[in-house]
């Protein structure tokens, strides 16, 4: 319904009226709609939600920090206000183009993939993602994930997956969402932890070396 100048630039539109004439829905996956709807409900409950996303501006892919705010219009409708802040450095932009965040897939409770975003499909080229069981940890706690999801609303885990650049670490968030027809589905979001893990390993190695040097003095 509303967009500022920067938002119109991202959507390559001269005004909101032009966006309203477009088939925007036809360009988005069910997974993305489920994710945005989930953000709205979480934001309405008071949760602060921020995510890194990629957007295309003037033909260039750029990294933005999205912050989601609930907002009530005068007609009583609840909408999600999305604040996008561009990443300040070229170094951060380069790092983002090489990772898989934000990776989103929508699944039925029998584990079948329903819809996904481009990053998810990119990951699928290296690791089979058609069934959720292939992604979840082989632990007893996840053998009955559909029932646990119905009871807890959210499941968290960490895993390693093959990517185009090799083995990568991911934090997984499996969340219960409702389809338009009222069916319960599972929304999987994978956050790339590889850069963080490498930094942590490098820091731990430096600390071990420093301790060893102190002992040898």
């Amino acid at each position: 319904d509303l967009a500022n100048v920067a938002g119109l630039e991202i959507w390559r539109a001269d005004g909101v009226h032009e966006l309203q004439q477009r088939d925007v829905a036809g360009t988005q996956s069910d997974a993305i709609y489920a994710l945005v709807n989930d953000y709205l409900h979480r934001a309405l409950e008071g949760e602060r939600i921020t995510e890194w996303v990629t957007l295309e501006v003037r033909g260039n892919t750029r990294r933005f920090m999205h912050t989601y705010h609930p907002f009530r219009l005068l007609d009583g409708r609840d909408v999600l206000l999305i604040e996008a802040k561009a990443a300040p450095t070229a170094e951060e932009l380069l790092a983002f183009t090489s990772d898989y965040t934000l990776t989103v897939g929508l699944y039925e409770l029998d584990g079948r993939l329903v819809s996904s975003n481009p990053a998810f499909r990119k990951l699928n080229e290296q690791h089979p993602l058609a069934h959720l069981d292939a992604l979840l940890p082989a632990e007893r706690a996840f053998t009955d994930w559909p029932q646990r999801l119905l009871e807890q609303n959210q499941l968290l885990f960490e895993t390693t997956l093959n990517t185009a650049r090799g083995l990568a670490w991911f934090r997984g968030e499996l969340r219960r969402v409702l389809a338009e027809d009222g069916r319960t589905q599972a929304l999987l979001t994978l956050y790339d932890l590889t850069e963080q893990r490498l930094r942590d390993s490098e820091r731990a190695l430096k600390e071990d070396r420093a301790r060893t040097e102190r002992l040898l003095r």
Side-chain angles (χ1 to χ4, degrees):
D1 288 335
L2 302 171
N4 65 1
V5 174
L8 293 174
E9 182 179 18
I10 291 171
W11 282 100
R12 298 179 183 178
D14 294 329
V16 175
H17 64 283
E18 182 179 335
L19 285 177
Q20 292 172 337
Q21 300 302 316
R22 294 184 187 177
D23 181 19
V24 177
T27 66
Q28 304 297 318
S29 67
D30 293 339
I32 296 300
Y33 274 110
L35 180 66
V36 173
N37 188 58
D38 179 58
Y39 282 172
L40 175 58
H41 288 297
R42 289 163 60 186
L44 288 171
E45 292 174 357
E47 183 177 348
R48 177 175 171 79
I49 304 172
T50 57
E51 298 288 358
W52 284 108
V53 300
T54 50
L55 297 172
E56 185 177 325
V57 182
R58 296 175 180 172
N60 297 315
T61 300
R62 299 185 60 188
R63 188 185 188 195
F64 290 80
M65 171 61 80
H66 266 191
T67 305
Y68 301 88
H69 309 277
F71 189 77
R72 178 158 291 179
L73 300 178
L74 293 177
D75 60 10
R77 286 181 297 159
D78 289 318
V79 298
L80 196 62
L81 177 64
I82 304 176
E83 177 186 4
K85 182 179 179 181
T89 66
E91 183 178 359
E92 285 186 326
L93 296 178
L94 182 61
F96 184 75
T97 59
S98 66
D99 70 29
Y100 289 80
T101 307
L102 177 66
T103 306
V104 182
L106 184 66
Y107 289 85
E108 299 287 3
L109 289 189
D110 62 4
R112 292 180 295 111
L113 180 65
V114 176
S115 176
S116 60
N117 72 344
F120 202 87
R121 293 190 286 274
K122 175 183 175 184
L123 184 59
N124 187 50
E125 296 174 359
Q126 306 293 327
H127 193 102
L129 307 174
H131 202 283
L132 187 54
D133 290 341
L135 281 167
L136 296 178
E139 301 173 3
R140 186 175 179 180
F142 287 90
T143 56
D144 192 23
W145 64 264
Q147 183 60 37
R148 289 191 60 205
L149 195 63
L150 291 174
E151 296 171 352
Q152 300 178 209
N153 188 51
Q154 182 187 43
L155 298 175
L156 302 175
F157 63 93
E158 291 191 8
T159 188
T160 55
L161 298 172
N162 294 320
T163 70
R165 66 169 186 267
L167 196 66
W169 286 268
F170 289 89
R171 175 170 62 85
E173 176 186 291
L174 193 63
R175 182 175 291 273
R176 184 181 74 223
V177 296
L178 293 178
E180 290 185 2
D181 60 5
R183 286 188 348 275
T184 300
Q185 295 177 310
L187 183 69
L188 175 68
T189 307
L190 296 173
Y191 304 89
D192 194 336
L193 300 178
T194 305
E195 296 295 333
Q196 176 185 328
R197 287 296 180 86
L198 291 176
R199 287 195 299 270
D200 292 344
S201 296
E202 185 177 356
R203 186 183 305 111
L205 181 60
K206 289 180 179 179
E207 291 174 352
D208 287 342
R209 286 176 178 172
R211 282 193 295 267
T212 301
E213 291 175 357
R214 286 196 298 269
L215 291 174
L216 293 177
R217 290 174 183 172

